[in-house]
Amino acid sequence: MYFIYLLIAFFAGLGLATQAAINSQLAKSMGDEAIIAALISFAVGTLFLFVIAWWKTDLWQHLSALPQQPAWKFLGGILGAFAVFTTVLLAPKLGISVMLFFIIIGQLISSTTIDYFGLIGMPTQAISPAKWIGLTIIAFGLLFYFFGEKWLYWLKSFWV
């Protein structure tokens, strides 16, 4: 089952890049209004999730528990809307690769912090030396992906 979860995460990553491209085109057709495209995208996604939740769960029973929830638990929706808006806004300005580079760096920093300290009710996850090495390799890999050609050109200038 763990492998299935990894595949779902992988496809979610594929979807994020594709979503940014699609939503950027939607924004272009909406007079270059990123906020309108993000609103439409989020509304369509909300409607889709509503239909699935209605079909697969006892939606009304679960919705009745909403008033007892603390307000901070609703911040996920705001953060999700911000993420969608950010991709719509930045994908055409930075390119999807550069935009996702910084999103991934932000995700790695925040996720490692949340895991290590067990923030927001998540179980604590030790950060072993192997994980630090892995994060370092990812960071250098991403840096090389974006700046490697410049570095290679710079190094080549010393040899010629």
Side-chain angles (χ1 to χ4, degrees), residues 16-39:
L16 184 58
T18 306
Q19 178 195 34
I22 291 169
N23 286 342
S24 293
Q25 293 304 309
L26 178 60
K28 192 181 292 185
S29 66
M30 297 284 128
D32 284 325
E33 289 292 344
I35 194 76
I36 299 297
L39 173 66

Side-chain angles (χ1 to χ4, degrees), residues 100-101 103-109 111-112 130-146 151:
L100 286 178
F101 166 77
I103 288 174
I104 290 168
I105 295 298
Q107 287 175 328
L108 288 172
I109 290 169
S111 63
T112 302
K131 288 182 181 179
W132 281 116
I133 291 169
L135 286 171
T136 303
I137 289 170
I138 291 169
F140 278 112
L142 288 169
L143 286 170
F144 196 75
Y145 178 85
F146 287 103
W151 291 341

Side-chain angles (χ1 to χ4, degrees), residues 38-155:
L39 173 66
I40 293 168
S41 177
F42 226 72
V44 170
T46 300
L47 181 60
F48 175 76
L49 289 174
F50 176 80
V51 169
I52 298 297
W54 190 18
W55 176 46
K56 298 293 284 180
T57 71
D58 186 357
L59 177 62
W60 307 118
Q61 177 187 351
H62 295 292
L63 289 178
S64 68
L66 283 178
Q68 292 83 23
Q69 302 306 311
W72 69 266
K73 289 187 178 180
F74 299 104
L75 290 175
I78 294 170
L79 292 171
F82 176 71
V84 169
F85 170 71
T86 300
T87 62
V88 175
L89 178 70
L90 298 179
K93 293 173 177 34
L94 299 175
I96 294 174
S97 294
V98 172
M99 177 197 67
L100 286 178
F101 166 77
F102 285 98
I103 288 174
I104 290 168
I105 295 298
Q107 287 175 328
L108 288 172
I109 290 169
S110 64
S111 63
T112 302
T113 303
I114 291 167
D115 282 348
Y116 182 75
F117 292 107
L119 301 175
I120 317 172
M122 298 303 293
T124 58
Q125 302 283 330
I127 305 173
S128 65
K131 288 182 181 179
W132 281 116
I133 291 169
L135 286 171
T136 303
I137 289 170
I138 291 169
F140 278 112
L142 288 169
L143 286 170
F144 196 75
Y145 178 85
F146 287 103
F147 305 113
E149 291 178 19
K150 292 176 184 173
W151 291 341
L152 291 175
Y153 179 78
W154 180 76
L155 287 172

